Amino acid sequence: MPKTSKRFTALLETIEDRDYTPNEALELVKANANAKFDETIEAHVRLGIDPKYTDQQLRTTVALPRGTGQTIRIAVIARGEKVAEAKAAGADLAGDDDLVEAIAGGQMDFDLLIATPDMMPKVAKLGRVLGPRGLMPNPKAGTVATDLAAAINEFKAGKLEFRADRSGIVHVRFGKASFTVEALLENLKALQETIDRQKPSGAKGRYWRSLYLTSTMGPSVPVDFTALQDIKLEG
């Protein structure tokens, strides 16, 4: 068993055995994010789905209104004028066959890969490299696009792709410890609404099972997800 540090043990003692309201949980997670860097705040949602069935899979995107607080490096695989369009829109890497070959050779210094539809047959050959890292472009995720400028701007501004893992759990980062509670709540609410809106057709019974919030180095805090669903934010 790994040893628990005195710091982490002390933080655990601040968490009561109950479901917190969203605001209470965010305040506690922020207070416990006392590492020497700006910790990332994450949501972990257990859903009543079994992703081994195609009609119970969840893969989509969420546009976080307050952004992620992180800078992401975007690579684009396109052809001809689209390469220049991608670079002009802020892509960190852009190319055609040369970039495909570079990625096949191990160049992975990017966080997101966008491809135009005409390049997908070549990108498909990179499945063994991109798949395990969750970087394979997908139309449902908005990473197969013809309007490269719009796609790049959306992801730079805070659009995130997420999916339920094999256990039916969604893991999503939605801000930084330096964010205000109000900003974090706005992002969390956008995530909750997206999960509800994208409920798989095959999901049966109770959809939401549990919601926990945590920071990079802090303990998780259980949240009353029905209270989150009931919140109505202005605007």
Side-chain angles (χ1 to χ4, degrees):
M1 292 289 290
K3 290 185 177 180
T4 302
S5 69
K6 291 182 179 179
R7 169 190 167 277
F8 195 84
T9 300
L11 294 179
L12 280 173
E13 293 176 355
T14 68
I15 301 172
E16 300 173 9
D17 184 18
R18 65 181 176 90
D19 287 344
Y20 287 77
T21 68
N23 279 73
E24 288 177 331
L26 289 168
E27 289 173 356
L28 184 54
V29 169
K30 275 175 56 68
N32 284 343
N34 58 7
K36 295 180 180 179
F37 61 93
D38 192 7
E39 296 183 47
T40 296
I41 307 300
E42 305 168 356
H44 302 274
V45 187
R46 179 181 292 278
L47 299 172
I49 58 176
D50 187 348
K52 72 180 180 182
Y53 299 105
T54 56
D55 65 348
Q56 294 190 48
Q57 294 174 357
L58 176 65
R59 180 176 184 178
T60 187
T61 60
V62 58
L64 298 177
R66 297 300 190 96
T68 63
Q70 295 176 317
T71 300
I72 65 167
R73 288 180 56 82
I74 296 178
V76 176
I77 296 177
R79 180 180 283 121
E81 295 180 357
K82 288 290 186 179
V83 174
E85 178 186 328
K87 291 179 179 178
D92 299 279
L93 293 170
D96 45 32
D97 293 339
D98 59 330
L99 185 51
V100 172
E101 293 177 7
I103 294 173
Q107 182 176 339
M108 301 293 294
D109 54 341
F110 53 87
D111 306 300
L112 182 78
L113 179 63
I114 297 173
T116 52
D118 60 321
M119 292 298 287
M120 280 306 294
K122 295 188 177 183
V123 175
K125 297 176 182 179
L126 301 173
R128 289 185 179 180
V129 179
L130 298 173
R133 295 175 172 82
L135 292 172
M136 176 62 76
N138 184 289
K140 291 183 179 179
T143 46
V144 177
T146 53
D147 189 344
L148 295 177
I152 292 168
N153 290 333
E154 287 175 352
F155 281 106
K156 289 278 189 180
K159 185 177 181 179
L160 283 178
E161 176 190 359
F162 67 90
R163 69 173 74 184
D165 65 15
R166 293 179 181 178
S167 302
I169 302 175
V170 171
H171 311 271
V172 186
R173 67 183 191 277
F174 66 98
K176 290 285 190 177
S178 57
F179 282 23
T180 64
V181 168
E182 292 73 21
L184 288 169
L185 180 60
E186 194 172 338
N187 281 353
L188 181 61
K189 184 63 181 176
L191 174 62
Q192 170 257 306
E193 290 178 343
T194 298
I195 292 174
D196 281 339
R197 190 166 54 249
Q198 298 296 326
K199 180 180 179 180
S201 61
K204 296 178 176 63
R206 192 155 56 99
Y207 184 42
W208 284 68
R209 299 295 177 86
S210 66
L211 168 62
Y212 286 83
L213 304 183
T214 186
S215 62
T216 306
M217 301 294 288
S220 58
V221 178
V223 184
D224 181 351
F225 53 81
T226 58
L228 176 62
Q229 292 171 317
D230 290 341
I231 290 176
K232 300 290 187 289
L233 297 179
E234 293 183 4

